[in-house]
């Protein structure tokens, strides 16, 4: 007798696509993307091979942090539509076999939420829904913590005559997770959306929920105090309770954005016993070229990236794979080359994302290789974080030019410019004035131009997604690092037991130079039958069919080990 294997969960085979609704598709000319707009683009999303959507917040919000400050968890902001539109979206997506997960922001609410309004008046039962503390004798805040968006984490409230905690903006007061009533409220919110047919949640800064102590923090001006609230025991307990009582009974999927987690913490958050989250978003692999955070650049190295990827590929059973989201610069402008080798480097990054072990999450516009914004001055920005960071840099005496350079490459607005659907004014995003300026490169870098071009970034993504979904090795196989240096990265996906699908090796050149391939690895990939021609490529972003001694600038190649493929399945190329 053998125990039946538990069925493989749907999300392991999923291709997720994140929508930042404000910037996705406007349907009524007010310059702000909306739900009818999303519905109108479902065919494009389905054509890419996407099977699940993560929707950035659509809830009622005064937009101090673009919806990450929620004023009503159980309603849609009128600018995006209404609950009927939302239900329609869920139904239309389901017709295309696309599931939907919501963004769940429960570390904090908006200061306009009725819970906070009642709490600041001292009304029960809301009095202790938030974290209130008295001022020190001299009137100072209760401790020295500093927020994600710079400055103190404490804001004085005249009405309540006390300070409240906010890890992010002052208009984002933190909920008090020592109060069981707050956890009960959260369960109601979860059930509300699950009952409407959503398949799960992307959980915003989920590892910061429980604050263990309010002692002074150590460290410099950034994130002082984080040791008192990052991935605490109390947070593990809350997640276990939510999983047991809500997620598990509904079969809901959860991906937790986990700020600053290390591997052991991520392992604990995703350990099926007792069970908290399914997968986590960590930041490690995006920080290879950063000191401390996005605003402190240092040189990139493929070897360093490989080292970090390997840690996570081996350390977790399953990874949430991503290179972009609404908080990060565009990957082609970050790890790629958004100038001379724009398409080829975008395709190389696509190759990496879609050949690692885990569930890939694409971000809107990534599939056409959208780049960072082309703004030239501070007044074109919108993001609260960019303004606060710029102000802090000014206080530290950084000259204006340097401030702009750092903000320009790291601002979250880089990812928030409207999706470039076509080359018309408004880029097919809006017929009105877009809430955030559209990149001028929309005239040539757009969906319409790429849709029918077999050599486009878009079609490269489509092909890779198809390949991934048809190869058990790419879906479920193991990961083995083979070689890396400053520019080059080579790894292998190893076959699944009992599967006919062989191993694949992935060869990536993260540089604008032609590099020689290490002979040992090249030979290892050669089979006798094809030794003369060189190993044959299932995918190449340069149009090559076999691998010889070098990789061209930003070249990416996938080699299928074992017998050659049938005619017509190999040699994917780019112009
Ligand atoms: O992000 C939290 C986070 O960990 C960072 O990426 C953060 O945005 C900051 O830029 C660090 O420098 C989540 C959301 O994704 C983000 O959009 C929200 O602003 C934030 O939480 C607060 O809800
Ligand atoms: Ca609109």
């Amino acid at each position: 007798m053998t125990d039946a294997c538990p069925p493989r969960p749907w999300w392991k085979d999923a291709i997720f696509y994140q929508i930042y609704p404000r910037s996705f598709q406007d349907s009524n000319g007010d310059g702000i993307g909306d739900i009818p707009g999303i519905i109108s683009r479902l065919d494009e999303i389905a054509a890419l091979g996407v099977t699940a959507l993560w929707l950035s917040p659509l809830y009622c919000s005064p937009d101090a942090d673009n919806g990450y400050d929620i004023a009503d968890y159980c309603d849609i902001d009128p600018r995006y539509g209404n609950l009927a539109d939302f239900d329609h979206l869920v139904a239309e997506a389901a017709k295309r076999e696309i599931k939907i997960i919501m963004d769940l922001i429960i570390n904090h609410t908006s200061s306009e939420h009725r819970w906070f309004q009642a709490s600041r008046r001292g009304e029960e039962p809301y009095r202790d829904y938030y974290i209130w503390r008295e001022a020190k004798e001299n009137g100072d805040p209760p401790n020295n913590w500093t927020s994600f968006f710079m400055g103190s984490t404490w804001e004085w409230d005249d009405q309540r005559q006390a300070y409240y905690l906010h890890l992010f903006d002052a208009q984002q007061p933190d909920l008090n997770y020592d109060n069981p009533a707050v956890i009960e409220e959260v369960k109601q919110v979860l059930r509300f959306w699950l009952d409407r047919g959503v398949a799960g949640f992307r959980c915003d800064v989920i590892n910061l929920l429980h604050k263990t102590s309010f002692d002074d923090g150590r460290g410099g001006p950034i994130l002082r105090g984080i040791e008192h609230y990052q991935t605490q025991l109390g947070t593990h307990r809350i997640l276990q309770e939510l999983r047991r009582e809500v997620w598990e009974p509904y079969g809901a999927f959860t991906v937790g954005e986990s700020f600053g987690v290390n591997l052991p913490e991520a392992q604990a958050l995703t350990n099926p016993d007792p069970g908290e989250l399914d997968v986590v978003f960590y930041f490690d692999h995006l920080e290879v070229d950063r000191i401390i955070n996005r605003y402190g650049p240092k040189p990139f190295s493929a070897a360093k990236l490989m080292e970090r990827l390997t840690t996570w590929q081996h350390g977790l059973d399953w990874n949430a794979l991503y290179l972009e989201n609404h908080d990060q610069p565009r990957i082609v402008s970050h790890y790629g080359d958004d100038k001379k080798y724009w398409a080829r480097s975008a395709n190389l990054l696509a190759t990496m994302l879609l050949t690692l072990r885990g569930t890939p999450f694409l971000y809107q516009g990534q599939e056409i290789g959208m780049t960072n914004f082309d703004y030239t001055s501070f007044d074109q920005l919108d993001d609260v974080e960019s303004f606060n960071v710029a102000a802090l840099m000014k206080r530290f005496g950084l000259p204006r030019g340097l401030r702009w350079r750092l903000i320009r490459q790291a601002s979250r607005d880089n990812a928030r410019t409207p999706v470039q659907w076509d080359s018309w004014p408004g880029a097919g995003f809006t017929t009105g004035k877009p809430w955030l300026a559209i990149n001028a490169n929309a005239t040539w870098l757009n969906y319409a131009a790429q849709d029918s071009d077999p050599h486009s970034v878009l079609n490269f993504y489509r092909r890779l997604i198809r390949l991934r979904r048809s190869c058990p090795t790419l879906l479920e196989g193991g990961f083995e690092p083979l070689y890396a240096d400053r520019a080059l990265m080579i790894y292998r996906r190893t076959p699944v037991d009992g599967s006919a699908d062989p191993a694949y090796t992935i060869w990536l050149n993260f540089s604008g130079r032609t590099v020689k391939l290490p002979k040992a690895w090249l030979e290892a990939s050669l089979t006798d039958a094809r030794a003369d021609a060189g190993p044959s490529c299932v995918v190449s972003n340069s149009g090559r069919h076999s691998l010889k001694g070098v990789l061209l600038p930003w070249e990416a190649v996938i080699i299928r080990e074992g017998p050659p493929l049938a005619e017509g399945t190999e040699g994917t190329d780019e112009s």
Side-chain angles (χ1 to χ4, degrees), residues 10-22:
W10 65 268
W11 46 266
K12 286 200 170 175
D13 295 333
I15 302 279
F16 272 86
Y17 183 89
Q18 181 192 351
I19 291 186
Y20 193 68
R22 285 176 83 81

Side-chain angles (χ1 to χ4, degrees), residues 296-317:
K298 67 175 187 196
F300 172 86
S301 138
K304 193 89 209 152
L305 177 58
M306 175 75 120
E307 188 188 308
R308 295 193 182 191
L309 287 175
T310 304
T311 301
W312 293 93
Q313 288 279 304
H314 287 168
L316 294 178
D317 172 54

